[in-house]
Amino acid sequence: MGDVVAFPSRPAPQTPEPEPLWREAVGHELREERRTAGRTLADVAGDAGVSTQYLSEVERGLKEPSSEVLGAVAGALGLRLVDLTTRVSRRLTGISGPVCLAA
């Protein structure tokens, strides 16, 4: 019988972290803005014309809100939709400088 040849073991491939979903990043930004402003869910939901439960689910990334709802919630927080979109884009890309959005 021959000699046993030992091969060096290769490290197991690392599974990359899943990218956050758009709805999760949007929810995070909305919640952060609401808390920074010192406002309650009920207050912002009322101004935006959505239920408190729905806004809570949006903030937790559980719901995929329409552009109309996003615009209403952003407006209730004193944000333009483009400002919210820019913040979300920065969060997802990790870019802190200017972001160019193309349609």
Side-chain angles (χ1 to χ4, degrees), residues 23-41 44 52-62 73 77 79 84 87 91:
R23 70 175 186 255
E24 293 169 342
V26 166
H28 180 86
E29 289 300 323
L30 290 173
R31 176 173 278 170
E32 194 171 275
E33 183 64 27
R34 179 180 60 77
R35 287 181 172 171
T36 298
R39 297 183 64 193
T40 65
L41 271 169
V44 174
T52 303
Q53 177 67 31
Y54 187 76
L55 180 55
S56 173
E57 290 173 344
V58 168
E59 285 188 356
R60 290 181 287 142
L62 301 176
V73 174
L77 291 167
L79 294 173
L84 176 61
R87 288 182 185 187
R91 172 169 298 284

Side-chain angles (χ1 to χ4, degrees), residues 1-35:
M1 298 250 163
D3 292 335
V4 175
V5 178
F7 292 100
S9 62
R10 293 194 303 204
Q14 292 184 347
T15 305
E17 288 281 324
E19 290 188 34
L21 298 175
W22 176 261
R23 70 175 186 255
E24 293 169 342
V26 166
H28 180 86
E29 289 300 323
L30 290 173
R31 176 173 278 170
E32 194 171 275
E33 183 64 27
R34 179 180 60 77
R35 287 181 172 171

